[in-house]
Amino acid sequence: MKYDPLYAAYLVYFNRDRDYFECHEVLEELWLAENKDPRYKGLLQVAVGLYHFRNGNVRGGNKMMNSAYVRLRPYSAEELGIHMEKLVHEVRIYADRLTNYDTQPFAYYDLTIEILDPALKKMVANASEDIKPNLFQRRGRKRAVKHS
């Protein structure tokens, strides 16, 4: 299978940098270019769910993780060169924990997408060399300062 460079960039930002804002930026572009492929939408929602929860938005994180689970659940165990079954299982656990967060809070933790296809692994490794880590990750959209 041939993979898009935007997909490889998504995996670099997701697994190496944990930069979920950039994950959203690159995968949304691919999702739109690929006629709103639901697989990319689900992967995008996983990143957005982690982004929200890491930034204290439990409700937003829960909504995105549940939506990602529903969207990705129908796909095969190995999809898009990744271990989709494992990711779907981990997303389900995360969503369930977020649903019960009020009574059973837990510390934020990252997920890792396991890459199975050797060609994709190589592509991601090459992309990783070209993509500089974003040490100052954006934590949301910046609003203009209002002047009185």
Side-chain angles (χ1 to χ4, degrees):
M1 179 175 185
K2 185 171 166 79
Y3 301 101
D4 191 284
L6 290 170
Y7 181 53
Y10 167 84
L11 291 168
V12 170
Y13 288 126
F14 195 99
N15 287 343
R16 183 192 73 185
D17 298 349
R18 310 303 187 184
D19 189 340
Y20 304 119
F21 190 92
E22 287 303 321
C23 285
H24 174 270
E25 294 295 298
V26 297
L27 208 59
E28 184 175 53
E29 185 177 337
L30 180 57
W31 173 66
L32 291 171
E34 292 293 326
N35 298 314
K36 299 184 177 181
D37 184 323
R39 297 172 302 172
Y40 294 126
K41 178 72 171 190
L43 292 173
L44 193 149
Q45 289 174 323
V46 173
V48 173
L50 291 171
Y51 175 84
H52 281 311
F53 182 50
R54 182 172 64 193
N55 289 299
N57 181 354
V58 175
R59 185 172 164 207
N62 187 27
K63 182 179 176 184
M64 285 294 106
M65 290 303 221
N66 276 298
S67 184
Y69 173 75
V70 168
R71 201 169 305 276
L72 296 174
R73 182 180 54 194
Y75 294 102
S76 63
E78 184 177 334
E79 187 77 26
L80 292 173
I82 63 172
H83 196 321
M84 185 67 79
E85 182 179 51
K86 179 182 176 200
L87 178 63
V88 168
H89 176 73
E90 291 172 348
V91 166
R92 176 75 268 156
I93 291 168
Y94 222 118
D96 288 346
R97 292 187 75 192
L98 287 169
T99 297
N100 298 310
Y101 187 82
D102 287 343
T103 57
Q104 298 173 352
F106 63 98
Y108 168 84
Y109 61 93
D110 292 306
L111 296 178
T112 298
I113 296 174
E114 184 179 349
I115 302 169
L116 299 175
D117 184 341
L120 180 58
K121 279 184 186 179
K122 185 175 181 180
M123 187 178 187
V124 170
N126 290 338
S128 184
E129 292 175 10
D130 296 333
I131 298 172
K132 292 182 182 176
N134 187 3
L135 300 178
F136 301 101
Q137 295 179 15
R138 289 193 265 182
R139 302 287 184 199
R141 300 195 191 294
K142 301 295 181 200
R143 295 185 182 176
V145 177
K146 292 183 180 181
H147 296 284
S148 301

